Amino acid sequence: MSRARFSMTDLKRAFDIEQMSSVSRIQHDFWPLDEIDPKNAKFPCCIVWTPLPVVSWLAPFIGHVGICREDGVILDFAGSNFVNVDDFAFGAAARYLQLDRNQCCFPPNLSGHTCKQGYMHAEFGTAMTWDDTLQSSFRHFEHRSYNLFTCNCHSFVANCLNRLCYRGSMSWNMISVAALILFKGSWINFLSIIKSFLPFTVVLCLGLLLVGWPFLIGLFSFSLLLMGWYVLGTYCFKNLLEC
């Protein structure tokens, strides 16, 4: 009797292990993505970037970012309590960076985390797929006020990456998101480069022509102050830029 009970227990345990293994395989056997299609604004699993009016004319390294679903549709936090869907604010994307879903953590259950941030990841909010994760951030930012200096589009993308635990990290923020697209992003085409830098070049030339070197000093000071605010707010006064 005890031997039979023991055998049934072993069979059940083996079945559970096999089932969990099967679920794990399903979770990491991703559907193939479509090709990136800038013409139709489809960027599967990408971060996208475009210059901002006026702000990018003075500081071309600053722009507007969004993150894309698996079908390539762009989501971007564009205003208070508002996340754009398939309508990228401020024009067509100029740069993009496709992310690797294999570097994300999609736990099949609360205890099935593949990242080292298990408890923190579960507490912050996890999802079983890429699109589910983006939807969770979407719902979160539908109740957030937009502010260029404290809670903006970079905050939204960072929130998505933290929920994905991308590259095993939950420390994504405005600065790291900006650096990721700035240093690793690809330009759509040569026209995108012109679109991004021509206004800045025109402003710079006009400023030097009409004002002279003091304009260049003022422009440099503006960029330095802006970067200083984001760096200090992100790493020294974290509560200032949390949203």
Side-chain angles (χ1 to χ4, degrees):
M1 181 68 71
S2 62
R3 182 176 300 175
R5 191 182 300 116
F6 179 76
S7 298
M8 288 298 292
T9 302
D10 281 353
L11 285 173
K12 185 177 184 303
R13 184 180 296 115
F15 175 78
D16 289 342
I17 292 173
E18 177 64 26
Q19 189 177 41
M20 287 178 64
S21 176
S22 175
V23 170
S24 178
R25 284 197 299 272
I26 291 172
Q27 295 303 319
H28 294 87
D29 188 16
F30 302 115
W31 288 100
L33 299 174
D34 292 334
E35 293 293 325
I36 291 171
D37 183 6
K39 185 177 179 180
N40 294 307
K42 301 299 180 186
F43 301 88
C45 295
C46 290
I47 296 175
V48 290
W49 180 94
T50 195
L52 279 168
V54 182
V55 178
S56 297
W57 301 352
L58 302 175
F61 54 87
I62 292 178
H64 182 70
V65 297
I67 191 167
C68 307
R69 299 187 320 213
E70 289 179 310
D71 62 1
V73 169
I74 302 173
L75 306 180
D76 61 302
F77 183 46
S80 295
N81 310 315
F82 178 65
V83 178
N84 258 329
V85 179
D86 203 18
D87 185 22
F88 198 31
F90 308 110
R95 303 187 78 174
Y96 70 93
L97 173 66
Q98 190 166 50
L99 305 181
D100 183 2
R101 289 174 295 175
N102 287 304
Q103 295 191 49
C104 303
C105 176
F106 298 117
N109 51 62
L110 291 177
S111 60
H113 286 262
T114 57
C115 64
K116 296 180 180 180
Q117 316 285 344
Y119 176 76
M120 188 188 302
H121 192 196
E123 189 177 49
F124 187 83
T126 61
M128 296 173 64
T129 67
W130 177 278
D131 286 352
D132 285 344
T133 303
L134 268 56
Q135 185 63 27
S136 297
S137 291
F138 181 105
R139 290 194 296 266
H140 178 76
F141 276 80
E142 277 187 319
H143 308 285
R144 291 293 177 270
S145 296
Y146 183 94
N147 187 304
L148 178 64
F149 300 102
T150 58
C151 186
N152 56 38
C153 54
H154 289 74
S155 309
F156 172 68
V157 174
N159 186 275
C160 291
L161 295 183
N162 285 327
R163 289 178 189 272
L164 291 165
C165 201
Y166 186 64
R167 292 184 177 175
S169 172
M170 289 192 63
S171 300
W172 294 98
N173 52 51
M174 290 186 193
I175 300 295
S176 54
V177 167
L180 190 64
I181 190 70
L182 182 64
F183 295 114
K184 296 198 172 183
S186 301
W187 292 101
I188 300 293
N189 49 38
F190 184 70
L191 189 61
S192 298
I193 301 176
I194 295 176
K195 169 188 171 183
S196 301
F197 290 101
L198 181 60
F200 170 75
T201 304
V202 171
V203 169
L204 182 62
C205 292
L206 285 176
L208 286 173
L209 182 64
L210 299 175
V211 181
W213 290 107
F215 176 81
L216 187 62
I217 296 171
L219 192 62
F220 177 76
S221 300
F222 169 77
S223 298
L224 197 62
L225 284 172
L226 203 56
M227 281 302 300
W229 165 258
Y230 287 124
V231 170
L232 288 174
T234 298
Y235 297 107
C236 300
F237 309 103
K238 294 184 179 181
N239 60 322
L240 290 178
L241 303 186
E242 288 183 353
C243 62

